[in-house]
Amino acid sequence: MSRLDSFIRRLTAQRDILNAITDLVGEMEGPVLEFGLGNGRTYDHLREKFPGRRIIAFDWEVRSYSASTPAPDDMVTGNIRDSGQAFLGIGAALAHADIGTGHDEIDAVTLTWLPQLMAGVLAPNGIAVSGLPLEHPELAALPLPEGIKEGRYFLYRRV
Ligand SMILES: C[S@@+](CC[C@H](N)C(=O)[O-])C[C@H]1O[C@@H](n2cnc3c(N)ncnc32)[C@H](O)[C@@H]1O
């Protein structure tokens, strides 16, 4: 598969999963956390899906399109590994992490801290959506929406 096809399928999986869990998350209280704001495309989608909900975004620095940039109080800069620690226990309804790089050695380092952070920020029954697989005793894998191949994107519920 070409890298273009792979990229499109990954983003399609991301969007389809976020769409599939919208009602579930809509029934829960708590903020949405967006780890890896990037240029803000997914943030913009989350805003559309969860109008009025606090969405806190994280990245090394702000590099998003101005129209997809959170208010300063909802934008956290720095290494998520460190900046995310202040949000443990916040009781998020949804945490989404799109911080994989496609480089196995870099992603392996991210996976030494990301599962614990994702589990720690979620409320009980909160939903984790991730581009990297999250192995953690408090994160139970949920079935993917129809048409999404296993391993393309990942979906969990905090137990
Ligand atoms: C693939 S992009 C996210 C794209 C985003 N979903 C969008 O719609 O634009 C990944 C982002 O995560 C950020 N990132 C990756 N690891 C990070 C870390 N440890 N701390 C802070 N930001 C990180 C990168 O700077 C990059 O902007």
Side-chain angles (χ1 to χ4, degrees), residues 12 16 20 39-41 51 55-57 63 85 94 104 122 129-130 137 145 155 157-159:
T12 301
D16 290 353
N39 70 31
R41 287 192 192 103
I55 304 175
I56 308 166
R63 278 177 299 189
Q85 302 304 315
L94 169 66
D104 290 347
L122 287 171
V129 178
S130 174
L155 174 61
R157 187 199 279 270
R158 200 200 128 177
V159 294

Side-chain angles (χ1 to χ4, degrees), residues 7 10-11 14 34-44 58-61 63 76-81 83 96 98-101 110 113 153:
F7 177 72
R10 192 177 70 77
L11 288 196
Q14 179 193 106
E34 166 71 334
F35 291 120
L37 175 67
N39 70 31
R41 287 192 192 103
T42 315
Y43 171 77
D44 191 44
F58 300 73
D59 211 303
W60 289 104
E61 57 188 6
R63 278 177 299 189
V76 182
T77 53
N79 188 342
I80 292 164
R81 183 195 62 193
S83 64
H96 171 236
D98 181 13
I99 61 172
T101 62
T110 301
W113 53 265
Y153 223 78

Side-chain angles (χ1 to χ4, degrees), residues 11-149:
L11 288 196
T12 301
Q14 179 193 106
R15 182 205 54 198
D16 290 353
I17 290 174
L18 292 173
N19 287 350
I21 51 87
T22 298
D23 289 348
L24 200 58
V25 172
E27 291 165 6
M28 283 181 247
E29 290 184 4
V32 170
L33 268 50
E34 166 71 334
F35 291 120
L37 175 67
N39 70 31
R41 287 192 192 103
T42 315
Y43 171 77
D44 191 44
H45 196 71
L46 291 169
R47 251 187 340 195
E48 198 177 283
K49 290 286 161 195
F50 304 107
R53 182 80 62 127
R54 185 176 184 204
I55 304 175
I56 308 166
F58 300 73
D59 211 303
W60 289 104
E61 57 188 6
V62 181
R63 278 177 299 189
S64 46
Y65 292 136
S66 54
S68 308
T69 299
D73 284 353
D74 293 333
M75 181 71 224
V76 182
T77 53
N79 188 342
I80 292 164
R81 183 195 62 193
D82 307 320
S83 64
Q85 302 304 315
F87 295 81
L88 293 173
I90 194 170
L94 169 66
H96 171 236
D98 181 13
I99 61 172
T101 62
H103 297 284
D104 290 347
E105 64 284 4
I106 298 175
D107 293 345
V109 174
T110 301
L111 285 173
T112 61
W113 53 265
L114 184 63
Q116 193 178 0
L117 177 64
M118 292 287 272
V121 298
L122 287 171
N125 291 320
I127 300 295
V129 178
S130 174
L132 294 173
L134 303 176
E135 282 188 27
H136 190 279
E138 290 178 350
L139 295 175
L142 290 178
L144 296 171
E146 210 179 311
I148 299 180
K149 205 174 151 196

